[in-house]
Amino acid sequence: MAKVFDHITKELQEFIADQHLFFVASAPLSADGHVNMSPKGLDCFRILSPHQVAYLDLTGSGNETSAHLQENGRITLMFCAFAEPPLILRLYGKGQTILPNSPDWDSLYSLFPQFPGVRQIIIADIERVQTSCGFGVPLYEYQGQRRTLIDWANKKGEQGIKDYQQQKNVVSIDGLSTPLRELDKENLHLGKV
């Protein structure tokens, strides 16, 4: 039932475009570390090429993926069909975090809607593309995207988001530093904080 591809085919790109939800998984190298799995919605995913994808990462309560990518680069993205026909798609690769101070930021950020509370962009170079049947995934009817995260970010404001990120997003639950910690050190050095 499973099929493996060496790139994201045109048909799989169309499947991805039809999905309202995807999942991101990453893990530290430590055997005692926690595996992270995060659901993502909104219009935050882009296919840059048949071998590269990116997603706009909005501020959340943790920043595990970014910490794991900084440590080892491993990332898996998963899409499930919640309508017919059934299908699960996994994209395996190596990722990196792009922060707003990166030379690549402007060109990548221009590909996405301008959401409040943006934290970073995650890019993944895809090494393996695999589908499976998805026969066990239940059928769900899509009702729309939640506005809760957008409303929360608007209420916090730009400085409130930066403060929140420095409180909650610079270290993973396993104690790994995220790239935001380095950005904070750089801003302190330059007198921007």
Side-chain angles (χ1 to χ4, degrees):
M1 288 196 256
K3 294 182 182 176
V4 176
F5 305 86
D6 66 357
H7 68 285
I8 307 168
T9 66
K10 183 176 185 285
E11 293 78 16
L12 293 175
Q13 290 181 36
E14 291 170 0
F15 171 74
I16 289 169
D18 288 341
Q19 305 314 305
H20 303 288
L21 169 71
F22 65 98
F23 299 87
V24 178
S26 62
L29 292 176
S30 168
D32 296 329
H34 294 82
V35 175
N36 185 63
M37 169 80 64
S38 296
K40 306 288 181 186
L42 303 169
D43 183 19
C44 291
F45 191 86
R46 296 293 180 269
I47 299 169
L48 304 179
S49 78
H51 295 281
Q52 190 176 62
V53 299
Y55 71 88
L56 187 65
D57 189 52
L58 305 178
T59 300
S61 57
N63 198 7
E64 303 307 300
T65 302
S66 190
H68 297 158
L69 294 181
Q70 183 164 274
E71 183 195 43
N72 62 62
R74 297 177 303 168
I75 189 168
T76 301
L77 300 116
M78 185 180 77
F79 297 83
C80 294
F82 293 104
E84 296 292 2
L87 182 69
I88 297 171
L89 169 64
R90 291 179 182 88
L91 307 175
Y92 300 91
K94 295 287 185 183
Q96 63 177 313
T97 301
I98 305 296
L99 296 176
N101 67 339
S102 165
D104 297 327
W105 178 262
D106 289 339
S107 63
L108 288 167
Y109 188 50
S110 68
L111 301 174
F112 298 97
Q114 308 299 294
F115 292 117
V118 169
R119 177 169 56 189
Q120 57 211 0
I121 296 171
I122 304 296
I123 292 183
D125 293 317
I126 304 304
E127 302 165 344
R128 179 184 176 97
V129 176
Q130 181 176 327
T131 61
S132 56
C133 67
F135 293 168
V137 176
L139 294 168
Y140 283 97
E141 185 176 325
Y142 176 70
Q143 295 181 7
Q145 295 287 347
R146 296 178 197 263
R147 290 218 25 101
T148 311
L149 186 60
I150 303 298
D151 293 343
W152 173 84
N154 277 328
K155 185 176 179 183
K156 279 258 182 225
E158 188 175 331
Q159 188 59 50
I161 290 293
K162 287 179 184 177
D163 293 343
Y164 183 89
Q165 288 174 350
Q166 292 308 309
Q167 292 170 4
K168 305 279 188 179
N169 294 166
V170 295
V171 178
S172 77
I173 59 175
D174 296 315
L176 297 174
S177 290
T178 75
L180 286 176
R181 176 176 261 181
E182 298 307 312
L183 179 63
D184 185 45
K185 287 179 186 174
E186 179 182 315
N187 285 338
L188 281 172
H189 175 72
L190 297 173
K192 293 182 179 177
V193 175

